[in-house]
């Protein structure tokens, strides 16, 4: 069941658009902001508020790669796997992350601290390779910098 705060924020978003369905992505982002991911129950609750079927809401949630439909760590690492990052050293960054964290793409560390995900583009091709931790963008990366970056996130 959605909290009062979640419902109020979703209702605020509904008032910003001409039809309730148009608030779907924002509603999903609100649920995720509060819970770190969107459960089946969250999908059903959003669907009820927006007068949509759970299947419609789920199709929106699964289309967007930044709506998480399964539990994730406290910090999300998005490793850019665009062609620019690939050419500029993506594989070495990925290898370093795997060595440091002991996880592959789509997995979460045993302590629940990090989830590692590929991302098709972080929009910084002129400073490849790049990764993002939560909302922090790191560019022009070398594998040796990864450990220091990860230390910032507890």
């Amino acid at each position: 069941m959605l909290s009062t705060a979640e419902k109020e924020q979703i209702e605020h978003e509904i008032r910003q658009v001409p039809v309730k369905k148009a608030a779907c992505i924002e509603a999903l982002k609100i649920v995720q902001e509060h819970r770190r991911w969107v459960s089946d129950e969250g999908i059903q609750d959003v669907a009820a508020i927006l007068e949509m079927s759970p299947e419609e809401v789920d199709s929106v949630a699964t289309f967007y790669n930044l709506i998480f439909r399964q539990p994730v760590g406290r910090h999300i690492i998005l490793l850019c796997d665009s062609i620019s990052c690939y050419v500029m050293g993506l594989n070495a960054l990925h290898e370093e992350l795997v060595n440091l964290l002991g996880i592959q793409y789509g997995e979460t560390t045993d302590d629940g601290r990090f989830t590692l995900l590929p991302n098709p583009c972080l929009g910084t091709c002129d400073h490849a390779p790049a990764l993002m931790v939560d909302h922090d963008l790191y560019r022009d990366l070398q594998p040796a910098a990864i450990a220091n970056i990860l230390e910032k996130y507890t």
Side-chain angles (χ1 to χ4, degrees):
M1 175 175 271
L2 297 179
S3 69
T4 302
E6 289 169 306
K7 290 177 187 175
E8 287 173 358
Q9 288 177 313
I10 292 170
E11 290 296 334
H12 171 77
E13 292 302 324
I14 290 170
R15 289 190 296 275
Q16 307 303 310
V17 293
V19 294
K20 285 185 175 189
K21 285 183 179 186
C24 188
I25 295 170
E26 292 305 316
L28 290 166
K29 287 168 53 180
I30 289 165
V31 172
Q32 182 167 288
E33 181 182 307
H34 285 266
R35 301 165 186 235
R36 295 198 335 237
W37 68 293
V38 182
S39 66
D40 290 344
E41 179 184 322
I43 292 287
Q44 292 171 356
D45 292 344
V46 168
I49 290 173
L50 299 180
E51 298 173 0
M52 297 171 66
S53 73
E55 293 79 16
E56 288 175 300
V57 175
D58 186 55
S59 71
V60 172
T62 56
F63 179 79
Y64 292 96
N65 69 326
L66 296 179
I67 299 294
F68 308 124
R69 288 288 284 124
Q70 57 186 334
V72 293
R74 291 187 306 279
H75 304 287
I76 307 299
I77 300 170
L78 299 175
L79 183 58
C80 183
D81 63 358
S82 71
I83 188 65
S84 297
C85 286
Y86 178 80
V87 168
M88 297 302 291
L90 165 69
N91 287 340
L93 292 182
H94 181 253
E95 190 174 298
E96 183 68 8
L97 284 163
V98 168
N99 289 336
L100 290 171
L101 299 174
I103 59 173
Q104 294 290 335
Y105 285 133
E107 296 179 341
T108 300
T109 56
D110 289 338
D111 62 2
R113 187 172 164 206
F114 293 108
T115 296
L116 177 61
L117 299 171
N119 196 79
C121 184
L122 292 175
T124 186
C125 296
D126 56 330
H127 291 282
L131 68 78
M132 185 176 261
V133 181
D134 300 334
H135 298 291
D136 302 325
L137 180 63
Y138 299 93
R139 309 176 330 159
D140 299 309
L141 285 173
Q142 297 297 318
I146 301 293
N148 288 334
I149 291 169
L150 297 180
E151 285 178 17
K152 298 176 186 178
Y153 302 90
T154 57

